[in-house]
Amino acid sequence: LKESGVKVPTKAARKAFFQESWHETVTGTIEYPDPKKRGRMLKAAWLRVISLLVVLQTMARRQAKGGTLAWDGNTPADEYWFQLVIDKGGTTTKVLLKFLCVEFSDSVRHSTIVGLLDKVKDTYEFEVVAFGPLLEQLNEINRNGICIFSEWHP
């Protein structure tokens, strides 16, 4: 890969990158009746970041520091766009934060999982318990905006 011009980070650089993106989390479980066996209870586990605002600020600073911030013609220069994606697959539901004001927004380097619900079928009330605080934080950020102090690297 190096010979073809692709930048391959060292193992230490990869470890530092991922450690920088770790955020404080909270976990919990949800008990619910087994639909197949009467009287039996099942448990679902969930995990989510404590502060969506901190995740956004940290990731924006990282993008600015790395020089990867980029705005297309439709995005105002004073706005930082991101997308919260809820992805359901099998018995796992993931909440992914995807940063859009970067050169390659589909890269794993510009996305991060901020919530996870495991071992439960598609049930809205479980998702509200697991991810409700994230959605409330998103509404708060939407109402108040977000302030990110970072050195600019054009």
Side-chain angles (χ1 to χ4, degrees), residues 10-145:
T10 64
K11 185 177 180 180
R14 289 191 308 266
K15 183 177 180 181
F17 175 84
F18 286 111
Q19 281 181 334
E20 184 180 301
S21 65
W22 293 338
H23 300 282
E24 289 186 68
T25 59
V26 62
T27 61
T29 59
I30 302 168
E31 284 196 31
Y32 63 100
D34 186 342
K36 296 179 182 174
K37 286 193 175 183
R38 185 177 251 164
R40 181 177 169 201
M41 298 297 284
L42 298 176
K43 274 191 178 180
W46 56 265
L47 173 136
R48 69 172 175 261
V49 295
I50 292 174
S51 175
L52 193 57
L53 179 64
V54 169
V55 174
L56 285 167
Q57 290 172 329
T58 302
M59 292 300 287
R61 286 186 192 113
R62 183 194 305 168
Q63 305 305 334
K65 183 178 178 183
T68 59
L69 290 176
W71 282 260
D72 62 19
N74 298 325
T75 309
D78 62 342
E79 292 183 9
Y80 188 73
W81 287 13
F82 61 92
Q83 182 178 33
L84 200 65
V85 179
I86 299 178
D87 176 34
K88 175 76 173 119
T91 60
T92 304
T93 304
K94 296 165 287 303
V95 180
L96 181 76
L97 187 64
K98 183 177 174 181
F99 300 90
L100 302 177
C101 291
V102 290
E103 294 170 357
F104 305 105
S105 63
D106 289 331
S107 168
V108 295
R109 289 186 169 260
H110 305 135
S111 301
T112 188
I113 292 179
V114 294
L116 184 68
L117 173 63
D118 195 23
K119 299 190 186 221
V120 67
K121 295 270 183 191
D122 221 2
T123 308
Y124 177 74
E125 67 249 18
F126 298 149
E127 292 171 4
V128 169
V129 169
F131 307 135
L134 287 179
L135 299 176
E136 289 170 11
Q137 290 178 41
L138 181 63
N139 285 334
E140 185 77 17
I141 291 167
N142 195 30
R143 273 194 305 275
N144 298 328

